[in-house]
Amino acid sequence: MKSFTYERASSLQQAVNACASREGARFIAGGTNLLDLMKLEIETPQHLIDVNGLGLDKITATKEGGLRIGAMVRNTDLAAAPQVRRDYAVLSRALLAGASGQLRNKATTAGNLLQRTRCAYFYDTNQPCNKRRPGTGCSAIGGASRQQAVIGVSDACIASHPSDMAVAMRALGAKIETLNPDGHVRTIEIDDLYSALGSTPHIETILSAGELITAVTLPKPIGGEHIYYKVRDRASYAFALVSVAAIVLPDGTGHIALGGMSYKPWRSEAAEAYLPDGAKTVATHLLAGASPTAQNAFKIKLAERTIGLVLSNSPSSQRPRTAAID
Amino acid sequence: MNPENPTASGAGIEMSRRQVLIGTAGTAVTAVLAKVENAQANTNTKSTAQTPPVSHVTFTLNGRRVALDVDNRTTLLDALRERLHLTGSKKGCDHGQCGACTVIVEERRINSCLTLAVMHEGDSITTIEGLGTPCTLHPLQSAFIKHDGYQCGYCTPGQICSAVAMLDEIKAGIPSHVSDDLIAKSPVSAVEIRERMSGNICRCGAYSNIVEAIQEIAGGEA
């Protein structure tokens, strides 16, 4: 690990100012992803700004009837929050499907959103990777690509976003609140947070230097049946091949977002209009333009079938990933 | 690898366990040297070209107050093992995947390999050494012996620390991936234990005995 200086931020504004003004500065929250990457010297910050202890660990009601989740709320606490379990069960389910008990105790809401891909070539510092070392090429294209993204990919990168939490938040229509060094607070739709891979896969979000995620807000709950279904190689503690976050309303309409498919949670509001027509039609529209490799083309069919399973799901027949609301 | 330095290729994921241990032992030595060199140092982060930046941290470890000057890079696990000589917590993967390093911080189980020692100012930390002693075993330690919940024993301290905190999570009403009902309190069933303990790998495969040991204690407490 490269050496670095360390400070505990004394206030939000001080934190963003320090991050913007110091070369190689990074925020550290739970640290479960950043430290892992620092050990491999994939991440080499020169200065760490500890943003724990700034009061960003609270969940509060918004005046619109929704929820404001502090950026430092731990994954365990968010999954277990009574109002999340009751009104946003898809989010609880997604969080509980991710990582291990130990990691969920440390990992934060903002850190989860900003965690980096688990592409094996991104982690293997002996291999070319445009995300890790821009311009060196993509080893996954033409390499082992079973886990990689199938849609929203580019000629430079086919890495997928590993989060479960973000998939549920996309289905819920979450917004990201940030603080900038100039004091400006901005609100970002979760779909706009992630930058398209294009020719610059090393640029993963639209956040600017020093910009700090302070909270995630959820809109007023809409009821319906909340489902998170994760297909993976192990029954626990593994990243998704395909996951489906769904909120299905009594009239058959709803929201659907997919994980394991792209550089961001994949959702299409236009495709959701076809929900009453069944999984095949929804999947066809949702995954139009997909460009899988020979090794991960199975994800297209797997996504369609997982959507089908979710739509045909009932709380009594499909233990344990469903939760009825109301 | 430093993105600007394509020749530095030390630490890929194909690194052997032996290489990992050698590499981290080096870090620990650096940490010790840094402490000697900065024995008179003040509390805040210092940085010079010669010595790696060091910070002061104070926490409560197994009920005792501990103060350390640590190289900022020192993980909590390395601080426990190499600086404080509590070698019960084990370094398995050093990447948060195996759970052998699990300790209890502020009543929560965490991977001590994936957190910096300097980030635990004021925290209360319990390791396997703080749960029980050879003469006065923690009930779970006794249960692991009774049910033969290990073979080589390397994962055992992490398994036990994890299980102690896991049972508290169930008591606190925290649901899991396999909980049928998100709202209701989970039973301490084998299915729940297996899911909740999935962050602790046992290479010897003593899982069924580990589950039995945990269930016996949970049954007594429930």
Side-chain angles (χ1 to χ4, degrees):
Chain A
M1 197 187 303
K2 300 284 188 194
S3 64
F4 54 86
T5 49
Y6 168 87
E7 70 174 302
R8 290 178 201 104
S10 55
S11 73
L12 286 175
Q13 195 61 52
Q14 185 266 327
V16 293
N17 290 346
C19 192
S21 61
R22 288 191 70 150
E23 191 185 345
R26 291 286 303 271
F27 299 119
I28 186 164
T32 55
N33 188 220
L34 182 58
L35 275 173
D36 191 22
L37 293 168
M38 285 167 65
K39 288 182 181 190
L40 298 168
E41 298 189 359
I42 293 167
E43 296 270 14
T44 54
Q46 295 164 44
H47 182 65
L48 285 184
I49 301 163
D50 186 342
V51 290
N52 295 283
L54 295 178
L56 296 178
D57 57 350
K58 295 172 183 64
I59 303 173
T60 53
T62 64
K63 61 180 188 299
E64 293 82 16
L67 219 52
R68 186 174 188 279
I69 302 157
M72 293 301 112
V73 173
R74 308 287 154 176
N75 287 178
T76 297
D77 295 321
L78 185 56
Q83 57 275 57
V84 177
R85 287 198 257 177
R86 187 187 64 226
D87 297 332
Y88 306 96
V90 65
L91 180 55
S92 276
R93 288 292 181 193
L95 284 159
L96 294 170
S100 67
Q102 288 96 318
L103 290 168
R104 290 192 297 270
N105 280 342
K106 209 85 187 77
T108 63
T109 304
N112 188 309
L113 288 172
L114 299 180
Q115 67 179 305
R116 307 198 69 188
T117 186
R118 296 316 195 282
C119 172
Y121 298 105
F122 176 70
Y123 269 73
D124 183 348
T125 53
N126 294 309
Q127 302 289 336
C129 170
N130 286 323
K131 192 181 270 297
R132 173 168 35 76
R133 195 140 47 95
T136 55
C138 174
S139 304
I141 298 172
S145 57
R146 184 169 174 272
Q147 289 273 354
Q148 312 289 349
V150 297
I151 192 161
V153 296
S154 78
D155 292 340
C157 184
I158 57 172
S160 60
H161 197 269
S163 174
D164 292 295
M165 182 197 80
V167 182
M169 285 183 169
R170 177 72 178 98
L172 287 163
K175 292 184 167 74
I176 317 297
E177 280 182 22
T178 70
L179 178 66
N180 283 273
D182 63 3
H184 174 66
V185 173
R186 76 163 162 164
T187 302
I188 304 165
E189 297 280 348
I190 188 170
D191 195 43
D192 297 332
L193 176 67
Y194 300 104
S195 303
L197 293 170
S199 59
T200 55
H202 59 292
I203 301 170
E204 296 179 350
T205 71
I206 64 163
L207 299 180
S208 52
E211 188 169 8
L212 176 70
I213 294 178
T214 52
V216 173
T217 58
L218 301 179
K220 189 177 172 183
I222 59 169
E225 190 180 333
H226 286 221
I227 303 153
Y228 190 76
Y229 201 100
K230 182 175 182 179
V231 183
R232 48 183 161 175
D233 286 335
R234 291 192 300 257
S236 182
Y237 201 14
F239 290 99
L241 288 165
V242 170
S243 70
V244 175
I247 303 163
V248 184
L249 298 170
D251 64 1
T253 63
H255 305 321
I256 287 220
L258 302 181
M261 302 293 277
S262 188
Y263 65 93
K264 63 178 181 178
W266 196 257
R267 179 181 169 192
S268 156
E269 281 81 346
E272 286 170 4
Y274 295 94
L275 270 171
D277 298 333
K280 194 173 181 66
T281 311
V282 172
T284 300
H285 287 85
L286 185 55
L287 298 174
S291 180
T293 67
Q295 288 182 16
N296 67 14
F298 74 93
K299 285 191 175 190
I300 304 290
K301 183 58 85 175
L302 184 59
E304 178 196 315
R305 288 177 176 171
T306 310
I307 294 169
L309 178 67
V310 162
L311 292 181
S312 64
N313 223 348
S314 71
S316 56
S317 66
Q318 282 298 327
R319 196 191 66 83
R321 295 159 192 91
T322 61
I325 296 297
D326 300 332
Chain B
M1 183 191 293
N2 184 330
E4 277 74 55
N5 181 5
T7 60
S9 58
I13 55 172
E14 69 278 78
M15 206 178 196
S16 72
R17 179 166 167 263
R18 178 174 295 274
Q19 285 172 312
V20 169
L21 292 173
I22 291 168
T24 48
T27 305
V29 169
T30 310
V32 171
L33 290 175
K35 179 178 168 30
V36 172
E37 288 160 8
N38 289 277
Q40 306 302 317
N42 248 326
T43 54
N44 286 326
T45 291
K46 288 190 169 298
S47 175
T48 68
Q50 286 76 36
T51 57
V54 171
S55 297
H56 187 75
V57 63
T58 308
F59 48 74
T60 302
L61 177 61
N62 298 329
R64 293 179 59 188
R65 197 99 169 126
V66 172
L68 279 179
D69 287 326
V70 289
D71 180 324
N72 290 342
R73 292 172 289 184
T74 312
T75 61
L76 179 59
L77 177 63
D78 281 341
L80 294 172
R81 289 180 55 85
E82 311 294 343
R83 297 292 302 281
L84 299 162
H85 309 298
L86 293 184
T87 52
S89 306
K90 296 294 187 279
K91 182 175 285 191
C93 68
D94 207 26
H95 287 280
Q97 297 171 5
C98 76
C101 68
T102 303
V103 300
I104 302 169
V105 176
E106 295 292 297
E107 303 182 348
R108 292 284 183 93
R109 55 179 170 157
I110 65 167
N111 300 111
S112 63
C113 75
L114 279 189
T115 188
L116 295 170
V118 70
M119 293 178 74
H120 291 283
E121 178 65 31
D123 281 354
S124 179
I125 299 163
T126 303
T127 67
I128 189 70
E129 291 91 345
L131 281 180
T133 67
C135 297
T136 55
L137 293 174
H138 184 280
L140 251 176
Q141 289 175 311
S142 300
F144 266 63
I145 293 168
K146 177 181 168 187
H147 290 274
D148 208 11
Y150 48 82
Q151 197 176 107
C152 81
Y154 196 79
C155 73
T156 312
Q159 296 276 2
I160 292 176
C161 283
S162 184
V164 167
M166 180 274 292
L167 290 173
D168 286 343
E169 289 169 8
I170 294 180
K171 273 189 196 165
I174 295 171
S176 87
H177 173 62
V178 297
S179 303
D180 285 333
D181 185 341
L182 268 186
I183 310 291
K185 199 170 163 183
S186 307
V188 194
S189 62
V191 172
E192 284 282 352
I193 291 171
R194 284 178 180 275
E195 161 59 26
R196 291 169 187 264
M197 292 294 290
S198 70
N200 291 85
I201 310 298
C202 172
R203 185 71 193 273
C204 303
Y207 295 112
S208 58
N209 294 0
I210 290 170
V211 171
E212 283 176 16
I214 296 171
Q215 269 194 299
E216 176 173 305
I217 297 306
E221 288 179 350

